[in-house]
Amino acid sequence: MLVAKSNYIRKLIMESTEPDLTRINLSDIPGGPEMFEKAAKFCYGVNFEITVHNVAALRCASEYLQMTDLYCDNNLVGRTEDFLSQVALPSLSGAIVVLKSCEDLLPMAEDLKIVQRCVDVVSVKACNEANFSSRSPPNWWTEELSILDVEFLGKIISAMKKRGAKALTLANALVTYTERNLRDLVRDHSGNGTKSLDLDDSDIRSRQRELLQSIVSLLPSEKAAFPINFLCCLLRSAIFLKVSNSCKNELEKRISAILEHVTVDDLLVLSFTYDGERLFDLESVRRIISGFVEKEKTMAVFSGGDFKDNCSTGMQRVAKTVDVYLGEIATYGELSISKFNGIAILVPKGARKVDDDLYRAIDIYLKAHPNLDEIEREKVCSVMDTLKLSYEARLHASQNKRLPVQIVLHALYYDQLKLRSGVDERSTPELGVGNTRHQLQKTDVSLIRENEALRTELMKMKLFISDMQKNNNNQGTSAKGGPRKPTFFSSMSKTLGKLNPFRHGSKDTSHIDENVGVDITKPRRRRFSIS
């Protein structure tokens, strides 16, 4: 019966040189022993069930055994083809199951066009389901796709692109696929899932690394197609698995393009290991923020605006998020000053209307690092503008013992200037920093003018006194040692001495006898500067 319906077995027996053939080798038959058993049952008329799970294997096995209608009517090849076309492929679920079974039947399944037929059916029906869902929930078909190998998923994604599928539709399918196949790395943010795996299992990590790189290569070109929290989780997994630089760079560019939608939790996902105990290398965070700032600068140039003074709403939102993020990571001891400042200075100063969040982050950092000296604390505070603190923040800063003295003096000087101007910032919090800076400049200019006027008067007085001394010397020489007569200049000198404003004060020294050895301390010089 096998010879009657299988041309392959017929040829093996006829071409055999053994006089008594009792064994033939069919070890390479597609589907293995199970499929040969079903093919043999078919030859002997034993009933068995053809399903969507075994039809592809039966089709390949029947082709291998050459069980076509050329050698026997209504043979196994025709029966499996009828089942594929009439039962399996008309439904999306059936086509996906058949395609899944083809993973172990390559390359014969591709040669017989089973894979391509399944891909065509799935892509058409998936596009239809995305636009007009026939079941609930609407994205049920993405769960069905998640059972496939990533190579077959790539074929379906490419076919859906050619049929005009939207980027959001493709993104939805890829997000579901990633969360299903990298659940421990992407969906479980707490890291509990990774603890159940052997972190030293190189085979598992290698498979996950290859899968993640394949998924990233399938992402549609539209940057805003994916939610930013998903991209951050994907990048965190990429850092953990040590994927290629090109893969990480692609994810960083995608996050940077939509950074205005980022939250503090998203940035924290990027920064910490799965156990939450250690910080990752923060270079990825720096590159993402830097890329967003460069994009904003480019947009400002094209729009003809001034990026330094007028930052976009997105840039201001990112600045606030970054400042709060710095406050969250400031408590970790391995965070150096250079890394802390390196992230803080990436944000343009014009993007921060108020530096309160940045001051909070600095205060937390100083509290978490109590062994910093004065110079190191000043370096940490150098990223903050004291003039851009609110009244409450300046009040706190003026009493903060962790801050360096210079910063405290800045805050006190600012408050003193506000008091002199008669402006109550608590009642007018919208007063701009530009007005304060202008007022400081006016104060500095007035001080410079006063100093110049005083310097001029002092020079005139020195010249006047030197002339008086010359005249007195000349008159003393002409008298040949006799007693001096009072002159106009000597009387003028005495008159000026009586008019000395410090005569009765602590700086008056006219009543001290020159012969008494008294140490006259030089008065302390005054400095008229903020510092």
Side-chain angles (χ1 to χ4, degrees), residues 507-521:
K507 299 297 185 294
D508 182 22
T509 59
S510 60
H511 63 282
I512 300 176
D513 188 0
E514 294 181 357
N515 297 325
V516 180
V518 180
D519 182 15
I520 304 175
T521 304

Side-chain angles (χ1 to χ4, degrees), residues 139-422:
N139 62 340
W140 66 270
W141 59 275
T142 62
E143 292 286 345
E144 300 281 342
L145 288 179
S146 61
I147 68 172
L148 296 174
D149 183 77
V150 68
E151 182 180 354
F152 288 160
L153 178 68
K155 293 179 180 293
I156 294 174
I157 294 294
S158 299
M160 293 178 69
K161 285 182 181 178
K162 293 179 181 179
R163 298 183 183 279
K166 297 179 181 179
L168 290 176
T169 300
L170 302 178
N172 191 16
L174 287 170
V175 169
T176 305
Y177 185 87
T178 305
E179 291 182 345
R180 178 80 175 264
N181 291 276
L182 293 174
R183 181 186 299 271
D184 293 323
L185 295 176
V186 176
R187 180 176 289 183
D188 188 3
H189 296 175
S190 65
N192 293 328
T194 59
K195 295 179 181 178
S196 62
L197 298 175
D198 185 5
L199 298 181
D200 296 329
D201 193 336
S202 58
D203 292 337
I204 294 177
R205 289 291 170 258
S206 179
R207 289 195 298 270
Q208 290 177 335
R209 185 183 306 112
E210 293 176 0
L211 177 59
L212 180 58
Q213 292 178 161
S214 300
I215 290 173
V216 172
S217 66
L218 296 177
L219 302 182
S221 58
E222 289 79 2
K223 302 295 183 183
F226 293 89
I228 193 168
N229 59 341
F230 169 76
L231 293 175
C232 289
C233 291
L234 214 58
L235 180 56
R236 194 260 295 266
S237 302
I239 297 172
F240 174 71
L241 294 174
K242 299 179 181 179
V243 300
S244 63
N245 290 332
S246 59
C247 179
K248 284 198 298 185
N249 292 338
E250 175 64 23
L251 291 172
E252 289 172 0
K253 290 178 181 178
R254 289 178 176 273
I255 296 174
S256 180
I258 55 174
L259 193 62
E260 62 266 24
H261 303 296
V262 76
T263 64
V264 177
D265 291 337
D266 297 332
L267 292 180
L268 291 176
V269 164
L270 278 179
S271 306
F272 288 98
T273 55
Y274 280 93
D275 54 9
E277 297 296 331
R278 293 180 295 108
L279 283 173
F280 274 135
D281 187 5
L282 300 180
E283 287 301 314
S284 289
V285 177
R286 290 188 59 181
R287 285 192 292 265
I288 289 170
I289 300 173
S290 179
F292 180 78
V293 173
E294 291 298 324
K295 184 196 76 169
E296 290 291 311
K297 287 182 179 178
T298 304
M299 294 177 62
V301 169
F302 281 115
S303 61
D306 188 359
F307 178 73
K308 293 183 179 180
D309 297 330
N310 299 318
C311 293
S312 65
T313 305
M315 186 71 253
Q316 295 176 18
R317 190 182 301 118
V318 169
K320 183 174 180 61
T321 303
V322 169
D323 290 346
V324 177
Y325 162 76
L326 286 173
E328 293 293 329
I329 66 174
T331 57
Y332 285 79
E334 65 258 40
L335 182 63
S336 63
I337 297 177
S338 60
K339 290 183 178 181
F340 182 86
N341 287 3
I343 295 177
I345 62 177
L346 290 175
V347 177
K349 292 184 178 180
R352 294 186 177 102
K353 298 304 180 184
V354 182
D355 277 12
D356 286 11
D357 291 327
L358 184 58
Y359 167 68
R360 174 181 173 274
I362 291 173
D363 188 38
I364 294 174
Y365 186 87
L366 295 178
K367 186 176 181 180
H369 301 77
N371 296 326
L372 300 179
D373 57 27
E374 186 76 7
I375 296 178
E376 290 174 332
R377 285 186 288 146
E378 288 183 359
K379 187 176 180 181
V380 175
C381 296
S382 63
V383 298
M384 176 181 62
D385 189 352
T386 314
L387 298 181
K388 295 173 71 172
L389 294 177
S390 65
Y391 173 79
E392 291 77 9
R394 285 197 312 276
L395 184 62
H396 184 277
S398 63
Q399 303 171 0
N400 193 343
K401 297 181 179 180
R402 288 185 290 270
L403 294 179
V405 177
Q406 187 177 8
I407 301 299
V408 176
L409 291 176
H410 282 191
L412 292 174
Y413 179 76
Y414 180 89
D415 284 332
Q416 185 181 20
L417 185 63
K418 299 298 290 184
L419 291 173
R420 288 181 180 179
S421 63

Side-chain angles (χ1 to χ4, degrees), residues 433-448:
V433 179
N435 296 334
T436 304
R437 294 190 184 279
H438 180 66
Q439 190 173 359
L440 286 173
Q441 291 174 358
K442 289 176 64 178
T443 304
D444 293 340
V445 170
S446 62
L447 287 175
I448 292 173

